[in-house]
Amino acid sequence: MQLKDFRDPGLASKLVGAIHAAMPSGRFTVMEVCGGQTHTIYKYCLREMLPENLRLISGPGCPVCVTPIRFIDRAVSLALDHGCTVYTFGDLMRVPGTAMSLERAAAEGGDIRAVYSPLQALARAADEPEREAVFLGIGFETTMPAVILPIVQAAEQGIENFSVLLSGKRVPPVLEAVLQSPDVRVNGFITPGHVTAVIGTQPYAPLCEKYRVPMAVGGFEPLDLLAAVLNLAQQFAACTHENANAYTRAVPSDGNPKAQALMARVLEVADDELRGLGTVPQGGFAIREEYAAFDANRRFDIQVESREPAGCACGQVLCGVIEPPECPLFRTVCSPDSPVGACMVSAEGACNAAYLFE
Amino acid sequence: MAEQKIILGHGSGGRLTHELVRDVFCRHLGDNGPSSLDDGAVLDFPAGRLVYTTDSYVVSPLEFPGGDIGTLCVAGTVNDLAVMGAKPLWLSLGVILEAGLSFQTLERIVRSIARTAAAAGVQIVCGDTKVVERGRGDGIYINTSGVGVLTRPLAEAPVAPGDKILINGTIGDHGMTLLTLRRGFELGTHLQSDCAPLNHLIEKVRAVVDVKWMRDPTRGGVATALNELADGSEWGILLQEESLPFSEPVRGLEELLGLDPLYSANEGKVLMVVSAADADKACALLGGQAAVIGEITAEHAGRLVLNTTLNTRRTLGVLTSDPLPRIC
Amino acid sequence: MCLAIPIQISRLSGDEQAEGTQQGVVLPFSTAVIENPQVGDYVLVHAGIAIQKLDEADALETLAVWAELQQER
């Protein structure tokens, strides 16, 4: 089970050959909804290998990209106005807020620390009881267990200076929002492998049925993504709309019931704002009342005024309506050095990838 | 006896400063230290052109697996001279100490400076010591400027398509080592910084082979250094992903943290461009895990391109800012 | 959104913590949401916690199926 086994060029060649052989005529658009998959596609230039009539686009699956500007502003306020120690995944540091990014807020004196795991944030909060510690809990369902485990542990261990500013999103409602959008026509989806490893494949079934669109769970190594594309190509040819799984070694159909139970214990489903999609019904999570003490939204009175940057087309890029180069700000005003929107900051953002890799 | 520490008085220029210079710096620098403590060093410059460089070192933590700020401040400046084709001769050593720094730590660092200077065959000929208040420095900041002599410029034949690009060993070790020490990313590895002076190795290769271009890929890594080479040229650079040497833990960290070691700092590596005919010989002279990692190509003018393990090609852009590990 | 790495569990400790190695890097992680973790199991680790067990037999079978594909390009 070595990673390199799933990057084998010989097997890649076979999968690509099979895709070419399976694809019917006509133009088809496949959307992947996962920043990690976007990254792999760009890293290995998988699009170059696919048939001309198969267009592979990236959807709103990058949690950094779909995080509303208001969230960054609130995080900055917690650091600068409320004097909290803000712990965050590295990905968020350079996302522009209305006034500034977290990186800039750190330069202005904010105590902002990047960590690999929310559990590290809790450990350090316990070490520094005199400081209010807030973890910026962004992510889709893959990350939610990691974000809420410290809440449960803090409650059990009586750690009172720790809370989470939550911006957790749910993939199935996001898929539905894309399917309902009049601006983008998607013929098939590669569903995110690690989200599905947690939630299981069942949540996608009603969508396949209702919209008659095939889906295939995809992994993150190039062969896994090619295998998911192959499944969809075969489904296009057969005109089926099945809820398939091309990442079976990591994704049992029921996902991870223990993780699901933990999530149900701490979180409830809520309507939520996703950048580029507006408010998505049931699109996110909120922390339950019993754990209100660990909900930074309730613990702190955070006042901010937020504004989208003028001309930023992140919303359209996120939904695959336009490609990065079609945004008027791409390369002219917006670059990784001076990003306007999140799509250019995040290592998985489509604009960032397009800028660096092409 | 209480552990001895640097105090503001050590920077006053008086007795304490004098004792610090004599008992810590001069004592540990030994033969590689200044021969007199005048305001300036009077030196006899050999025949050739003078090459001059400077670098400041603010690394944190001060000590890391494979080296410390002392090793770094000598190797870094020596290597800057060496990749210009110069023989490094003399270094200045400017030190800003933070009050509260322990003498033991300082002595370890100065001993590293001495050891690295001896290994490189260079002399610290002058220096300066200042002390700032506690809280206004990261323990110690160092500036070294270096003087070398260029007797034989790099190869006359310009870089051209067909030429090969070599590196003397594994990529990204220093940057990745430091990353594992940053609080919040404490991951156990046996990874070490590659920090080392390269002047003798470079001389050995240049004695036998015409080297057309050299660079030490420090901040920004191999990808940034090669972008500097390609930028504005009529030719491009094609790297072969299969040929890039990485140590196992660097590969592991790449997977775990989502960082590209091609953008991580190296402090003991040199990139060289030589003709195709000389590539194998140069590689053998470089030894260790040296490898031919790519070539100059007539295509992709001005760009650095990577041929991936799946034989697709993508551009490697210039690093925009400090890479932070990602979760996506 | 899911940088999760397959790691083989090399050590388990009582408080739902474990350790594994990925190419020479020792990674500690939580096993709080894994059923019955065992030394030797492969798990996917994301942001410091194991989120799923990997099925080795399935992995080998998948690779074998792909190897059987006839067309190359």
Side-chain angles (χ1 to χ4, degrees), chain A residues 204-219:
Chain A
Y204 307 128
L207 294 172
C208 292
E209 237 354 273
K210 180 175 171 187
Y211 296 92
R212 303 180 70 80
V213 165
M215 302 197 186
V217 181

Side-chain angles (χ1 to χ4, degrees), chain B residues 21-34:
Chain B
V21 170
R22 185 193 67 205
D23 299 338
V24 175
F25 287 95
C26 291
R27 182 168 133 235
H28 292 296
L29 289 176
D31 288 338
N32 291 93

Side-chain angles (χ1 to χ4, degrees), chain A residues 162-188:
Chain A
F162 177 82
S163 60
V164 171
L165 188 70
L166 189 70
S167 181
K169 314 296 182 204
R170 302 178 63 230
V171 165
V174 165
L175 290 176
E176 181 146 35
V178 171
L179 283 162
Q180 287 183 341
S181 161
D183 297 322
V184 59
R185 186 82 221 292
V186 176
N187 304 107

Side-chain angles (χ1 to χ4, degrees), chain B residues 96-113:
Chain B
I96 300 176
L97 302 166
E98 182 188 4
L101 178 72
S102 89
F103 261 63
Q104 279 191 356
T105 306
L106 179 60
E107 283 174 341
R108 278 197 301 272
I109 290 169
V110 178
R111 284 200 293 272
S112 288
I113 293 174

Side-chain angles (χ1 to χ4, degrees), chain A residues 3 7 9 39 42-45 48-49 63 89-91 93-94 115-116 120 124 222 336-337 347-348 356-357, chain B residues 183-186 254-257 308-310 312-315 317-318 320-328:
Chain A
L3 285 169
R7 299 171 183 173
H39 191 85
Y42 275 99
K43 188 172 166 169
Y44 291 94
C45 310
E48 271 172 46
M49 303 167 105
F89 292 121
D91 314 52
M93 288 293 276
R94 265 176 271 135
V115 287
Y116 159 71
Q120 290 170 322
R124 299 191 64 192
D337 270 331
E348 264 70 43
L356 287 180
F357 291 144
Chain B
R183 291 229 50 201
F185 298 113
E186 288 135 354
E254 180 182 6
E255 302 301 341
L256 281 165
L257 298 177
T308 71
T309 49
L310 297 187
T312 51
R313 295 191 177 185
R314 68 177 161 94
T315 303
V318 176
T320 52
S321 47
D322 202 19
L324 278 168
R326 55 183 178 92
I327 42 160
C328 290

